[in-house]
Each structure stands twice: as structure tokens, then as C-alpha cells.
Amino acid sequence: MRSVAEHLDACLEIAQAAAPLDVPLPDAVGCVLAEDVVARTDMPEVDLAGVDGYAVSAGQLARSGPGQVVRVMDAVRAGDVRPVTLVEGTAVLIDSGAPMPRGADAVVPWLDTDRGSAQVRIERLPLVGENVRPRAQEMREGERVLRRGSRLSARQVGLLAGMGLARVCVHPAPRVVVISIGDELVEPGTRRPLGDVYDANGHALASAVRDAGGQAFRVSAVPDEVRSLTEAIEDQLVRADVVVTSGGLSSGQGDTVKSVLAPLGTVRFDQVQMSPGRQLGVGTVGDGVPIFCLPGEPAAALIAFEAFVRPVLRRIAGWASLHRSSVPAVVGSGWESPRGRREFVPVRVAGTPAEGYRATPVGTGSRALARANALAVVPEEETVVTTGSTLSCLLLDS
């Protein structure tokens, strides 16, 4: 029998970060940078107007005070690259984002003028640098802008596009094939014959894959039959970086996972010291594709995914942090825990870092897991959890 730590080590051992890939920006969303991004130029490359108004010399205006009228000598629009030099005692009409004329060091906003076109009355005097975006305000040439290991969201993609980058080097998100196994499984939304059950695991695990940053490919439920299961797994290996199965692990008649996987690769099945769930499989199939075999009971399958598969997917995707955040929380009621097994209990955690956290058990099974926002972890040596004791809780929404 394996401990939880030993099984996690075995899972992580077969998972390495995916080879870096140069991809277009739209395909990089959600991926992790494989290398630092360094600024190629200053940004902005020249001083720019920060508002619509009039570019002026603050020092020259200060000699005559507010209320003075000055001639408007030119107009500069955004994107205008003409060399414009401010003449003493004048102003230049300017758009926000347009290059500042030489000799100008401030912009008077529209609201502080009479909006004249040939001449303008300045009602309030600006300070030097006011309403100006100076050169290299955002970044300097050669400066590291984004670190390797950063996850790319819309904000980072916008920055990269603004730097003129059309492609970026990332660890691609792992392609994960999810297969539910069982003769009794039917698709949600269809008629369910008596004795059959809806395939909850396929949908839940595919969603969990996407939440972990992977690309999920869900396969319709496969019968617990050697030929069907063998064909399903072999067909999916062409697009899979990882395969996750659920069900078919009991020793009862008709459970074929072990016999199917034996000729396809090297997969080890162990009793793992955890609750819920117990027997799990890990190994490789085909050309070294990692495969993780999870229980058929929905809550046990999702908890096993959280404990073992999610860290693997994050490692493949290049994440530095593999595990959920955790907090110590005081439990509001006690329970008995199975001896020699690490128990994962669905709880609702509330509180703050200053006041501390409280954990309220919400029951067992899929409904309880849907209500929970954390998993309280009971160590293997504890058989009784008492009210008021403190447990480490994995935050499911972090």
C-alpha cells in the first residue's frame, strides 16, 4: 500500500514541463511563459501628451500668469511624426498620445482654456511635466517586462501586443483526454434506463482539467469491455499529452482497465492510503503518454484529481507553484477519521488572516463537494477530529 506522498511522487516523476513553443498571441492565453520578455525599445519612445489640449512651455507661461492669451502655432495629431518645435510665447494644439513638440514640457487640458484654434486663453498655469507621458515611462529598452513562469491573461497579452510582439514562447497547455469507463454510464440530457447512472465524472474531470490550465478532450463513456476500451485509448493517443480515466478499478467481474492497459504501456495500480477512494493507477501508455486511473465514485474521482493530477498538469504547463493554497482552520464539529488513511473532507472555510479561519464540514459525496470551498486534510495518524482542532485546508477556489 502506498502513502499519498509516495503516489504523488510517482505521478510527478512522469511529468515534465512541456517543451517551449513559439505561438501566436491568441494561442498563448492561459499559457505560462517559457522565457523572460525583454523590452526591445523604450515605451513610449518619445514624450507624449497625456491629455487633449495645448502643448506649452510651463516656464514661459509662468512669466505672465493665468488668463493670458497665446497664439496657436500648429496642431499635432496622434501618430504625427513631423518635427515640430514650439516657438516662444505660443502653444501647439495636441491630441492625447501625440508626440510633444520640442521645447514644450507641459500640456494645458481643454478644460483650462477657452478652446481657441487661432489663439487660446490659458486659465490655469501647468507645472513642468504636467499631463505629459515621458519617454520610457512604462519600460526601458533591455528591461525585463515579464518573467519566465508568468501566466498570460488578457492583461499580459495586451502588453505584449502593445510592444509589437505577435508571437511569444510558452509552455503549451497540456492536451488531456478524459475517459469515463462503465457499462452503466449514460450521457446527461438523455433518457436514463433504470439501473444506469449519468456520466458525472467525464464532465467534472474535463472541467477540472480546464480549471487547471489544460485543454480537455472528453470522450463519451466507454463500456467496461476489453475491445471497446482498448480502441478508445489507442484512438485518443494521437492527440493526448495526458490521459485520465475514471472507473473500472474495482476487482469485480467486468472491470477491465488493468488487463487493457497491461499491453499498452507500463501502469502500476496501488492501494493508496487516502479517503475517499483507495485504488489508483499511474504510468505511461503508447509513446510515453502519462495516464492516471481514478476511481469511479464522483467525489472520490475529483478529490483524487485534486491531490494527484492537478499538480501534474501544472508542472507540464510550466507552473512554478503546483499545489492549491492552504490555510489552517478551526473545525466547527468533530468526526471519526479512518485509521491509517489521509482523509480529505469537504468543508466551508470562512474568516480572514487577521481573525483566523473556521471550517464547517458539509457532508460527503458529490453534493457536499459542490457546496465546499475547501478540503480539510486529516493526517493518517489521526482517528478522531475533535471540535476546535485545527486542520490544514486546501482552498478549492484559489
Side-chain angles (χ1 to χ4, degrees):
M1 182 174 287
R2 269 183 171 176
S3 70
V4 169
E6 288 169 341
H7 192 72
L8 177 59
D9 287 343
C11 293
L12 291 174
E13 186 177 339
I14 62 173
Q16 301 299 324
L21 189 63
D22 192 56
V23 300
L25 281 186
D27 295 340
V29 178
C31 295
V32 174
L33 277 175
E35 60 185 22
D36 292 340
V37 175
V38 176
R40 299 175 179 177
T41 62
D42 293 341
M43 189 172 175
E45 295 182 84
V46 296
D47 293 347
L48 302 178
V51 296
D52 295 330
Y54 299 85
V56 297
S57 168
Q60 292 175 12
L61 290 184
R63 299 170 190 166
S64 300
Q68 61 186 290
V69 177
V70 298
R71 180 171 63 90
V72 179
M73 60 163 285
D74 204 341
V76 180
R77 304 301 182 187
D80 193 340
V81 295
R82 293 179 299 119
V84 177
T85 301
L86 184 70
V87 174
E88 185 173 353
T90 67
V92 172
L93 184 64
I94 196 165
D95 288 346
S96 176
M100 291 288 290
R102 287 191 293 269
D105 57 18
V107 177
V108 180
W110 279 104
L111 293 176
D112 294 337
T113 72
D114 63 358
R115 301 194 177 192
S117 56
Q119 59 182 24
V120 62
R121 180 183 178 87
I122 308 295
E123 303 293 354
R124 187 184 71 82
L125 300 182
L127 301 174
V128 173
E130 189 171 346
N131 299 316
V132 175
R133 292 177 56 204
R135 176 176 179 170
Q137 182 184 48
E138 288 195 44
M139 64 188 72
R140 293 192 176 277
E141 181 180 356
E143 178 185 0
R144 181 171 57 190
V145 179
L146 292 174
R147 291 179 178 272
R148 181 182 62 182
S150 302
R151 180 178 181 273
L152 297 179
S153 68
R155 302 185 305 278
Q156 289 77 33
V157 168
L159 173 62
L160 295 171
M163 295 170 62
L165 298 177
R167 306 179 69 87
V168 66
C169 188
V170 299
H171 295 289
R175 298 166 299 173
V176 184
V177 171
V178 176
I179 303 175
S180 299
I181 303 167
D183 299 331
E184 75 283 8
L185 298 177
V186 296
E187 187 66 16
T190 62
R191 180 178 173 275
R192 180 174 64 87
L194 185 65
D196 286 353
V197 296
Y198 290 119
D199 178 19
N201 285 354
H203 291 275
L205 292 172
S207 299
V209 166
R210 288 188 285 270
D211 179 67
Q215 298 181 56
F217 299 93
R218 176 182 166 270
V219 178
S220 297
V222 178
D224 208 348
E225 185 269 325
V226 172
R227 182 174 179 179
S228 298
L229 184 53
T230 301
E231 290 178 352
I233 293 176
E234 288 181 330
D235 288 347
Q236 294 302 318
L237 290 179
V238 296
R239 65 171 176 179
D241 297 315
V242 174
V243 175
V244 176
T245 70
S246 67
L249 293 182
S250 70
S251 54
Q253 184 177 1
D255 291 309
T256 58
V257 173
K258 297 176 185 178
S259 57
V260 165
L261 292 180
L264 296 181
T266 304
V267 183
R268 172 173 168 171
F269 293 88
D270 288 281
Q271 298 289 330
V272 179
Q273 294 171 298
M274 68 179 297
S275 175
R278 180 168 287 191
Q279 186 163 202
L280 300 170
V282 58
T284 59
V285 290
D287 190 21
V289 176
I291 186 168
F292 303 93
C293 302
L294 308 182
E297 197 281 315
L302 269 180
I303 289 174
F305 180 94
E306 285 290 333
F308 305 114
V309 184
R310 189 176 190 274
V312 166
L313 299 186
R314 287 174 67 88
R315 170 168 285 184
I316 294 173
W319 288 85
S321 173
L322 303 184
H323 304 285
R324 294 279 194 185
S325 299
S326 64
V327 297
V330 177
V331 298
S333 59
W335 66 88
E336 293 185 359
S337 185
R339 181 182 299 276
R341 297 167 69 186
R342 184 176 301 184
E343 187 180 22
F344 296 84
V345 179
V347 295
R348 290 289 303 178
V349 170
T352 65
E355 68 180 15
Y357 295 95
R358 303 171 302 282
T360 303
V362 293
T364 59
S366 296
R367 184 177 180 182
L369 196 56
R371 295 172 56 200
N373 63 1
L375 293 173
V377 182
V378 185
E380 290 85 343
E381 63 273 11
E382 291 191 26
T383 57
V384 177
V385 177
T386 58
T387 301
S389 60
T390 299
L391 294 175
S392 178
C393 295
L394 300 176
L395 302 179
L396 298 178
D397 297 331
S398 63

PDB file of all heavy atoms in Angstrom, residues 361-387:
ATOM      1  N   PRO A 361     -17.692  21.304   8.251  1.00  0.00           N
ATOM      2  CA  PRO A 361     -17.919  20.150   7.376  1.00  0.00           C
ATOM      3  C   PRO A 361     -19.298  20.239   6.718  1.00  0.00           C
ATOM      4  O   PRO A 361     -20.274  20.670   7.343  1.00  0.00           O
ATOM      5  CB  PRO A 361     -17.838  18.963   8.330  1.00  0.00           C
ATOM      6  CG  PRO A 361     -17.051  19.464   9.504  1.00  0.00           C
ATOM      7  CD  PRO A 361     -17.414  20.910   9.640  1.00  0.00           C
ATOM      8  N   VAL A 362     -19.384  19.839   5.450  1.00  0.00           N
ATOM      9  CA  VAL A 362     -20.648  19.941   4.715  1.00  0.00           C
ATOM     10  C   VAL A 362     -21.154  18.580   4.257  1.00  0.00           C
ATOM     11  O   VAL A 362     -22.078  18.504   3.458  1.00  0.00           O
ATOM     12  CB  VAL A 362     -20.505  20.887   3.507  1.00  0.00           C
ATOM     13  CG1 VAL A 362     -20.285  22.318   3.964  1.00  0.00           C
ATOM     14  CG2 VAL A 362     -19.362  20.444   2.582  1.00  0.00           C
ATOM     15  N   GLY A 363     -20.556  17.499   4.771  1.00  0.00           N
ATOM     16  CA  GLY A 363     -21.029  16.176   4.429  1.00  0.00           C
ATOM     17  C   GLY A 363     -20.082  15.451   3.493  1.00  0.00           C
ATOM     18  O   GLY A 363     -18.917  15.831   3.334  1.00  0.00           O
ATOM     19  N   THR A 364     -20.592  14.406   2.864  1.00  0.00           N
ATOM     20  CA  THR A 364     -19.783  13.610   1.940  1.00  0.00           C
ATOM     21  C   THR A 364     -20.510  13.488   0.619  1.00  0.00           C
ATOM     22  O   THR A 364     -21.705  13.766   0.516  1.00  0.00           O
ATOM     23  CB  THR A 364     -19.508  12.210   2.513  1.00  0.00           C
ATOM     24  OG1 THR A 364     -20.761  11.554   2.742  1.00  0.00           O
ATOM     25  CG2 THR A 364     -18.733  12.300   3.821  1.00  0.00           C
ATOM     26  N   GLY A 365     -19.786  13.042  -0.400  1.00  0.00           N
ATOM     27  CA  GLY A 365     -20.398  12.829  -1.707  1.00  0.00           C
ATOM     28  C   GLY A 365     -20.341  14.057  -2.601  1.00  0.00           C
ATOM     29  O   GLY A 365     -19.809  15.112  -2.240  1.00  0.00           O
ATOM     30  N   SER A 366     -20.926  13.916  -3.784  1.00  0.00           N
ATOM     31  CA  SER A 366     -20.849  14.958  -4.811  1.00  0.00           C
ATOM     32  C   SER A 366     -21.559  16.241  -4.397  1.00  0.00           C
ATOM     33  O   SER A 366     -21.089  17.345  -4.684  1.00  0.00           O
ATOM     34  CB  SER A 366     -21.459  14.446  -6.117  1.00  0.00           C
ATOM     35  OG  SER A 366     -20.711  13.368  -6.625  1.00  0.00           O
ATOM     36  N   ARG A 367     -22.724  16.110  -3.742  1.00  0.00           N
ATOM     37  CA  ARG A 367     -23.443  17.317  -3.344  1.00  0.00           C
ATOM     38  C   ARG A 367     -22.644  18.118  -2.333  1.00  0.00           C
ATOM     39  O   ARG A 367     -22.559  19.350  -2.418  1.00  0.00           O
ATOM     40  CB  ARG A 367     -24.815  16.945  -2.770  1.00  0.00           C
ATOM     41  CG  ARG A 367     -25.651  18.167  -2.438  1.00  0.00           C
ATOM     42  CD  ARG A 367     -27.033  17.781  -1.938  1.00  0.00           C
ATOM     43  NE  ARG A 367     -27.824  18.955  -1.631  1.00  0.00           N
ATOM     44  CZ  ARG A 367     -29.053  18.925  -1.138  1.00  0.00           C
ATOM     45  NH1 ARG A 367     -29.637  17.744  -0.925  1.00  0.00           N
ATOM     46  NH2 ARG A 367     -29.700  20.037  -0.869  1.00  0.00           N
ATOM     47  N   ALA A 368     -22.030  17.423  -1.377  1.00  0.00           N
ATOM     48  CA  ALA A 368     -21.206  18.123  -0.384  1.00  0.00           C
ATOM     49  C   ALA A 368     -20.008  18.787  -1.058  1.00  0.00           C
ATOM     50  O   ALA A 368     -19.658  19.932  -0.745  1.00  0.00           O
ATOM     51  CB  ALA A 368     -20.731  17.137   0.684  1.00  0.00           C
ATOM     52  N   LEU A 369     -19.378  18.087  -2.009  1.00  0.00           N
ATOM     53  CA  LEU A 369     -18.220  18.663  -2.687  1.00  0.00           C
ATOM     54  C   LEU A 369     -18.618  19.903  -3.482  1.00  0.00           C
ATOM     55  O   LEU A 369     -17.850  20.868  -3.571  1.00  0.00           O
ATOM     56  CB  LEU A 369     -17.602  17.611  -3.603  1.00  0.00           C
ATOM     57  CG  LEU A 369     -16.177  17.877  -4.100  1.00  0.00           C
ATOM     58  CD1 LEU A 369     -15.210  18.101  -2.940  1.00  0.00           C
ATOM     59  CD2 LEU A 369     -15.696  16.720  -4.971  1.00  0.00           C
ATOM     60  N   ALA A 370     -19.825  19.906  -4.044  1.00  0.00           N
ATOM     61  CA  ALA A 370     -20.304  21.075  -4.781  1.00  0.00           C
ATOM     62  C   ALA A 370     -20.511  22.266  -3.858  1.00  0.00           C
ATOM     63  O   ALA A 370     -20.360  23.425  -4.274  1.00  0.00           O
ATOM     64  CB  ALA A 370     -21.601  20.738  -5.513  1.00  0.00           C
ATOM     65  N   ARG A 371     -20.857  22.020  -2.599  1.00  0.00           N
ATOM     66  CA  ARG A 371     -21.078  23.107  -1.634  1.00  0.00           C
ATOM     67  C   ARG A 371     -19.782  23.578  -1.000  1.00  0.00           C
ATOM     68  O   ARG A 371     -19.714  24.683  -0.468  1.00  0.00           O
ATOM     69  CB  ARG A 371     -22.023  22.627  -0.527  1.00  0.00           C
ATOM     70  CG  ARG A 371     -23.434  22.291  -0.989  1.00  0.00           C
ATOM     71  CD  ARG A 371     -24.219  21.637   0.140  1.00  0.00           C
ATOM     72  NE  ARG A 371     -24.240  22.492   1.333  1.00  0.00           N
ATOM     73  CZ  ARG A 371     -24.506  22.049   2.560  1.00  0.00           C
ATOM     74  NH1 ARG A 371     -24.744  20.752   2.752  1.00  0.00           N
ATOM     75  NH2 ARG A 371     -24.518  22.878   3.576  1.00  0.00           N
ATOM     76  N   ALA A 372     -18.746  22.752  -1.039  1.00  0.00           N
ATOM     77  CA  ALA A 372     -17.495  23.061  -0.338  1.00  0.00           C
ATOM     78  C   ALA A 372     -16.669  24.087  -1.099  1.00  0.00           C
ATOM     79  O   ALA A 372     -16.757  24.202  -2.322  1.00  0.00           O
ATOM     80  CB  ALA A 372     -16.683  21.786  -0.132  1.00  0.00           C
ATOM     81  N   ASN A 373     -15.847  24.821  -0.357  1.00  0.00           N
ATOM     82  CA  ASN A 373     -14.837  25.675  -0.995  1.00  0.00           C
ATOM     83  C   ASN A 373     -13.427  25.279  -0.576  1.00  0.00           C
ATOM     84  O   ASN A 373     -12.465  25.953  -0.907  1.00  0.00           O
ATOM     85  CB  ASN A 373     -15.083  27.158  -0.678  1.00  0.00           C
ATOM     86  CG  ASN A 373     -14.964  27.478   0.800  1.00  0.00           C
ATOM     87  OD1 ASN A 373     -14.671  26.603   1.625  1.00  0.00           O
ATOM     88  ND2 ASN A 373     -15.191  28.735   1.163  1.00  0.00           N
ATOM     89  N   ALA A 374     -13.337  24.141   0.154  1.00  0.00           N
ATOM     90  CA  ALA A 374     -12.024  23.675   0.601  1.00  0.00           C
ATOM     91  C   ALA A 374     -12.120  22.201   0.974  1.00  0.00           C
ATOM     92  O   ALA A 374     -13.214  21.648   1.145  1.00  0.00           O
ATOM     93  CB  ALA A 374     -11.538  24.494   1.797  1.00  0.00           C
ATOM     94  N   LEU A 375     -10.945  21.589   1.101  1.00  0.00           N
ATOM     95  CA  LEU A 375     -10.848  20.212   1.599  1.00  0.00           C
ATOM     96  C   LEU A 375      -9.996  20.227   2.863  1.00  0.00           C
ATOM     97  O   LEU A 375      -8.826  20.617   2.827  1.00  0.00           O
ATOM     98  CB  LEU A 375     -10.203  19.301   0.558  1.00  0.00           C
ATOM     99  CG  LEU A 375     -10.981  19.035  -0.728  1.00  0.00           C
ATOM    100  CD1 LEU A 375     -10.116  18.259  -1.717  1.00  0.00           C
ATOM    101  CD2 LEU A 375     -12.277  18.274  -0.442  1.00  0.00           C
ATOM    102  N   ALA A 376     -10.582  19.826   3.971  1.00  0.00           N
ATOM    103  CA  ALA A 376      -9.820  19.676   5.210  1.00  0.00           C
ATOM    104  C   ALA A 376      -9.047  18.364   5.136  1.00  0.00           C
ATOM    105  O   ALA A 376      -9.593  17.327   4.769  1.00  0.00           O
ATOM    106  CB  ALA A 376     -10.747  19.677   6.422  1.00  0.00           C
ATOM    107  N   VAL A 377      -7.758  18.409   5.464  1.00  0.00           N
ATOM    108  CA  VAL A 377      -6.882  17.247   5.341  1.00  0.00           C
ATOM    109  C   VAL A 377      -6.581  16.693   6.728  1.00  0.00           C
ATOM    110  O   VAL A 377      -5.978  17.375   7.567  1.00  0.00           O
ATOM    111  CB  VAL A 377      -5.576  17.613   4.612  1.00  0.00           C
ATOM    112  CG1 VAL A 377      -4.708  16.369   4.445  1.00  0.00           C
ATOM    113  CG2 VAL A 377      -5.875  18.252   3.267  1.00  0.00           C
ATOM    114  N   VAL A 378      -7.011  15.450   6.956  1.00  0.00           N
ATOM    115  CA  VAL A 378      -6.782  14.793   8.242  1.00  0.00           C
ATOM    116  C   VAL A 378      -5.593  13.843   8.088  1.00  0.00           C
ATOM    117  O   VAL A 378      -5.634  12.932   7.253  1.00  0.00           O
ATOM    118  CB  VAL A 378      -8.022  14.004   8.703  1.00  0.00           C
ATOM    119  CG1 VAL A 378      -7.787  13.428  10.098  1.00  0.00           C
ATOM    120  CG2 VAL A 378      -9.261  14.882   8.682  1.00  0.00           C
ATOM    121  N   PRO A 379      -4.512  14.034   8.857  1.00  0.00           N
ATOM    122  CA  PRO A 379      -3.341  13.159   8.740  1.00  0.00           C
ATOM    123  C   PRO A 379      -3.674  11.704   9.025  1.00  0.00           C
ATOM    124  O   PRO A 379      -4.657  11.390   9.724  1.00  0.00           O
ATOM    125  CB  PRO A 379      -2.372  13.728   9.786  1.00  0.00           C
ATOM    126  CG  PRO A 379      -2.810  15.140  10.000  1.00  0.00           C
ATOM    127  CD  PRO A 379      -4.309  15.125   9.833  1.00  0.00           C
ATOM    128  N   GLU A 380      -2.844  10.811   8.493  1.00  0.00           N
ATOM    129  CA  GLU A 380      -3.086   9.374   8.604  1.00  0.00           C
ATOM    130  C   GLU A 380      -3.153   8.900  10.057  1.00  0.00           C
ATOM    131  O   GLU A 380      -3.902   7.963  10.371  1.00  0.00           O
ATOM    132  CB  GLU A 380      -1.969   8.592   7.882  1.00  0.00           C
ATOM    133  CG  GLU A 380      -1.986   8.714   6.374  1.00  0.00           C
ATOM    134  CD  GLU A 380      -1.252   9.939   5.851  1.00  0.00           C
ATOM    135  OE1 GLU A 380      -0.989  10.888   6.645  1.00  0.00           O
ATOM    136  OE2 GLU A 380      -0.935   9.958   4.652  1.00  0.00           O
ATOM    137  N   GLU A 381      -2.384   9.535  10.942  1.00  0.00           N
ATOM    138  CA  GLU A 381      -2.317   9.032  12.317  1.00  0.00           C
ATOM    139  C   GLU A 381      -3.490   9.489  13.185  1.00  0.00           C
ATOM    140  O   GLU A 381      -3.676   8.984  14.300  1.00  0.00           O
ATOM    141  CB  GLU A 381      -1.008   9.480  12.973  1.00  0.00           C
ATOM    142  CG  GLU A 381      -0.834  10.984  13.138  1.00  0.00           C
ATOM    143  CD  GLU A 381      -0.231  11.649  11.921  1.00  0.00           C
ATOM    144  OE1 GLU A 381      -0.145  10.980  10.855  1.00  0.00           O
ATOM    145  OE2 GLU A 381       0.149  12.834  12.020  1.00  0.00           O
ATOM    146  N   GLU A 382      -4.312  10.410  12.691  1.00  0.00           N
ATOM    147  CA  GLU A 382      -5.441  10.902  13.485  1.00  0.00           C
ATOM    148  C   GLU A 382      -6.691  10.089  13.172  1.00  0.00           C
ATOM    149  O   GLU A 382      -7.071   9.945  12.009  1.00  0.00           O
ATOM    150  CB  GLU A 382      -5.701  12.382  13.201  1.00  0.00           C
ATOM    151  CG  GLU A 382      -4.611  13.307  13.730  1.00  0.00           C
ATOM    152  CD  GLU A 382      -5.023  14.762  13.674  1.00  0.00           C
ATOM    153  OE1 GLU A 382      -6.246  15.035  13.718  1.00  0.00           O
ATOM    154  OE2 GLU A 382      -4.131  15.625  13.591  1.00  0.00           O
ATOM    155  N   THR A 383      -7.321   9.555  14.221  1.00  0.00           N
ATOM    156  CA  THR A 383      -8.542   8.784  14.030  1.00  0.00           C
ATOM    157  C   THR A 383      -9.779   9.532  14.535  1.00  0.00           C
ATOM    158  O   THR A 383     -10.902   9.158  14.196  1.00  0.00           O
ATOM    159  CB  THR A 383      -8.451   7.439  14.762  1.00  0.00           C
ATOM    160  OG1 THR A 383      -8.193   7.675  16.160  1.00  0.00           O
ATOM    161  CG2 THR A 383      -7.335   6.586  14.174  1.00  0.00           C
ATOM    162  N   VAL A 384      -9.562  10.569  15.331  1.00  0.00           N
ATOM    163  CA  VAL A 384     -10.682  11.365  15.843  1.00  0.00           C
ATOM    164  C   VAL A 384     -10.346  12.838  15.667  1.00  0.00           C
ATOM    165  O   VAL A 384      -9.303  13.309  16.140  1.00  0.00           O
ATOM    166  CB  VAL A 384     -10.964  11.063  17.337  1.00  0.00           C
ATOM    167  CG1 VAL A 384     -12.080  11.965  17.851  1.00  0.00           C
ATOM    168  CG2 VAL A 384     -11.339   9.601  17.523  1.00  0.00           C
ATOM    169  N   VAL A 385     -11.223  13.544  14.979  1.00  0.00           N
ATOM    170  CA  VAL A 385     -11.095  15.002  14.849  1.00  0.00           C
ATOM    171  C   VAL A 385     -12.062  15.616  15.852  1.00  0.00           C
ATOM    172  O   VAL A 385     -13.269  15.368  15.799  1.00  0.00           O
ATOM    173  CB  VAL A 385     -11.438  15.474  13.427  1.00  0.00           C
ATOM    174  CG1 VAL A 385     -11.372  16.993  13.334  1.00  0.00           C
ATOM    175  CG2 VAL A 385     -10.499  14.834  12.415  1.00  0.00           C
ATOM    176  N   THR A 386     -11.532  16.390  16.771  1.00  0.00           N
ATOM    177  CA  THR A 386     -12.367  16.973  17.822  1.00  0.00           C
ATOM    178  C   THR A 386     -12.763  18.391  17.455  1.00  0.00           C
ATOM    179  O   THR A 386     -12.053  19.099  16.730  1.00  0.00           O
ATOM    180  CB  THR A 386     -11.627  16.983  19.168  1.00  0.00           C
ATOM    181  OG1 THR A 386     -10.402  17.724  19.026  1.00  0.00           O
ATOM    182  CG2 THR A 386     -11.299  15.568  19.616  1.00  0.00           C
ATOM    183  N   THR A 387     -13.912  18.795  17.965  1.00  0.00           N
ATOM    184  CA  THR A 387     -14.372  20.173  17.756  1.00  0.00           C
ATOM    185  C   THR A 387     -13.326  21.147  18.303  1.00  0.00           C
ATOM    186  O   THR A 387     -12.840  20.989  19.420  1.00  0.00           O
ATOM    187  CB  THR A 387     -15.713  20.408  18.464  1.00  0.00           C
ATOM    188  OG1 THR A 387     -16.674  19.480  17.955  1.00  0.00           O
ATOM    189  CG2 THR A 387     -16.213  21.830  18.257  1.00  0.00           C
TER     190      THR A 387
END
